[in-house]
Amino acid sequence: MGDVVQQFFAVKAKIAVAEQEAGRDAGAVTLVAVSKTFDAADIDPVIEAGQRIFGENRVQEAQGKWPDLKDAFPDIELHLIGPLQSNKAKEAVALFDVIETVDREKIAAELAKEIARQGRAPRLYVQVNTGSEPQKAGIEPREAVAFVARCRDVHGLAIEGLMCIPPADENPGPHFALLEKLGHEAGVARLSMGMSGDYETAIAFGATSVRVGSAIFGSR
């Protein structure tokens, strides 16, 4: 697993360079290491190397490996970065520290109910479908600012950021610029954008966190 640790440190170094080139403060950007489809044995070396923030796509998969890892490393922060079904809201609130994929009224209502019931409040991001792709989760850009306001005013949710996944076949820059603009209009402090192929570009456009999987763990 030496390669994984080397790749992890290489990504960290590239983030530092991208911060500097963008005129950002050192450490301004948080690395979310995307560990979906990898088991605990694959993740352990990266934890041992100092990484504490991880992203998972599916609630059920995360339930199978993270409770034991979080017991062993209580300072781990776990992000849900895949679509959330309303029937998984209970489990998501119990396990995740950050849920980045709030994207419709039903999910907002279910999360509000579970947060009140469990007394546990994950930090929340609204996912924006910046490319208006029909097959992709996320709220339409034109509805995003009003949806953030409804999450706060109607459901009592403290939305702290926006998240996007640009279309795979398009220049990501305009999508990152759009998310930054919407974030400013919505009054959120954090932007989760940029993955293995484009995280340096995302940092130039103001990302506060990047979600990097294959550049660290290799292809799945």
Side-chain angles (χ1 to χ4, degrees):
M1 299 305 292
D3 284 352
V4 169
V5 173
Q6 283 181 317
Q7 286 158 196
F8 163 65
F9 282 118
V11 168
K12 294 278 282 183
K14 287 180 179 177
I15 289 172
V17 170
E19 287 172 337
Q20 189 174 23
E21 289 179 347
R24 310 274 304 273
D25 291 340
V29 179
T30 299
L31 170 61
V32 180
V34 179
S35 49
K36 64 179 184 181
T37 77
F38 290 97
D39 60 26
D42 298 315
I43 299 165
D44 264 331
V46 181
I47 296 175
E48 295 291 348
Q51 178 66 11
R52 289 294 182 273
I53 303 173
F54 292 87
E56 288 282 338
N57 255 37
R58 299 177 185 277
V59 175
Q60 203 161 350
E61 182 191 339
Q63 283 178 305
K65 62 190 174 187
W66 281 104
D68 287 347
L69 287 169
K70 288 185 90 175
D71 283 346
F73 300 93
D75 56 342
I76 277 175
E77 180 178 290
L78 193 58
H79 291 227
L80 178 63
I81 59 171
L84 177 58
Q85 298 166 303
S86 54
N87 65 352
K88 296 289 185 185
K90 176 181 176 181
E91 291 89 346
V93 169
L95 180 59
F96 288 92
D97 303 292
V98 182
I99 296 172
E100 298 197 10
T101 49
V102 183
D103 67 349
R104 58 197 186 281
E105 206 78 37
K106 186 175 183 182
I107 287 294
E110 286 296 321
L111 288 172
K113 185 172 79 176
E114 284 303 325
I115 286 167
R117 195 179 69 82
Q118 296 184 35
R120 187 175 195 275
R123 290 152 42 213
L124 302 174
Y125 291 50
V126 164
Q127 181 174 354
V128 182
N129 186 350
T130 56
S132 298
E133 296 174 276
Q135 80 283 8
K136 192 174 281 182
I139 192 119
E140 285 289 314
R142 65 180 177 275
E143 299 169 10
V145 174
F147 179 65
V148 170
R150 281 201 310 280
C151 285
R152 289 169 170 160
D153 301 340
V154 176
H155 301 290
L157 298 175
I159 303 294
E160 76 167 35
L162 301 181
M163 180 267 238
C164 75
I165 304 170
D169 57 351
E170 292 186 20
N171 174 4
H175 295 273
F176 297 151
L178 173 59
L179 199 74
E180 195 275 335
K181 175 177 175 285
L182 292 172
H184 181 72
E185 292 173 3
V188 300
R190 300 193 61 80
L191 300 173
S192 171
M193 57 191 194
M195 298 186 291
S196 286
D198 56 21
Y199 65 90
E200 291 156 292
T201 302
I203 290 168
F205 281 95
T208 57
S209 60
V210 294
R211 309 180 305 275
V212 181
S214 57
I216 296 171
F217 293 104
S219 54
R220 294 169 174 81

